[in-house]
Amino acid sequence: NRADVALYAAKRSGRNRANQHEGEAGRGRELARAISSGELVVHFQPVVDLQAVGAVGMGRDAITAAEALVRWEHPTRGTVPPLQFILYAESRAIILDLGQHVLRAACAAAATWPVGPAGRRSVAVNVSARELCDRGYARRVAEALDEAGLPPTALVIEVTESSTETDDPQLTRSLHEVRELGAHVAVDDFGTGYSSLSRLASLPVDVLKIDRSFVQPLGSGPRSTTIVSAITGLGTALGLTVVAEGIETAAQADVLRGLGCARGQGYFFGRPVPADAFAASLHGPGAGPSRAALDALGAG
Ligand code: C2E
Ligand code: MG
Ligand code: MG
Ligand code: MG
């Protein structure tokens, strides 16, 4: 229609392009400043043991991990969600600084969390292809772990399928290096990429995260249950820990539990919250660490 034509013409105009470039340079500077001034904060969303959550209620005992999710606390724009600046950062080297900032904050937070009944709670950090294609990636991971005093086994690196659609061999190399350190790798948003199964066959992974687009229709018809059942079975048979994302209702959680899905994440269990609020929730109501967990720590 006419509005589209006008927009198209505007986009093609040189004047518009020049403005856009100026805008982008400004955005890059603003993002760099945001990192150094502490405006980029990391929130944490709980990941629960779906099989334990029924037995112990929604208390801290069911929380086995958390995902670190970055937010920009902008002085005038308020809290800016990651999808509004991550894509831009990924097209620039600034993603390396941003990623390192999030990684350090996530490791530092996780090092303070109390050990749960199933052992130490792990932290999952999202990482972009551009970071993994950098030869120094695994070394920076090792540095962040060291600095925080966090055991490598408590760190999960989340990589989306679509971000692995590159032929740079360094990406897979970095994932192998991260695993050699003892950390784990998760394939995020599973099922939404163009070649989910071939990715799964070729990537060195430990965790499979079922995209929320498969989880949300659960309970509204048999097809979605069949698909999630198949993904869960595939992941489990491959020896992976399967995490269902985007659980918003008790009904969805029940279906997933029935399908034998190991872990769940979503607003139903908890929204992403600042580091101090998340840590406080781990000290909230619950039965406390089990004998086995205390023994594993050598805590008498
Ligand atoms: P993701 O890694 O798949 O993270 C899950 C997203 O789903 C988060 O959105 C989370 O807030 C949201 N979510 C969780 N539970 C529910 C639910 O029950 N219902 C719905 N509707 N949404 C739910 P968020 O925080 O806006 O992050 C969006 C994406 O941005 C992430 O998707 C991830 O791909 C990316 N991202 C976030 N932080 C970072 C980061 O530090 N580095 C990089 N490279 N990417 C990041
Ligand atoms: Mg993720
Ligand atoms: Mg995801
Ligand atoms: Mg996603």
Side-chain angles (χ1 to χ4, degrees), residues 233-250:
L234 174 68
T236 308
L238 288 170
L240 310 178
T241 300
V242 178
V243 184
E245 296 193 275
I247 302 172
E248 293 183 355
T249 68

Side-chain angles (χ1 to χ4, degrees), residues 188-189 211 245:
D188 202 354
D189 302 349
D211 190 69
E245 296 193 275

Side-chain angles (χ1 to χ4, degrees), residues 67 126 158 188 209 245:
E67 178 170 6
N126 293 282
E158 293 196 0
D188 202 354
K209 298 191 79 170
E245 296 193 275

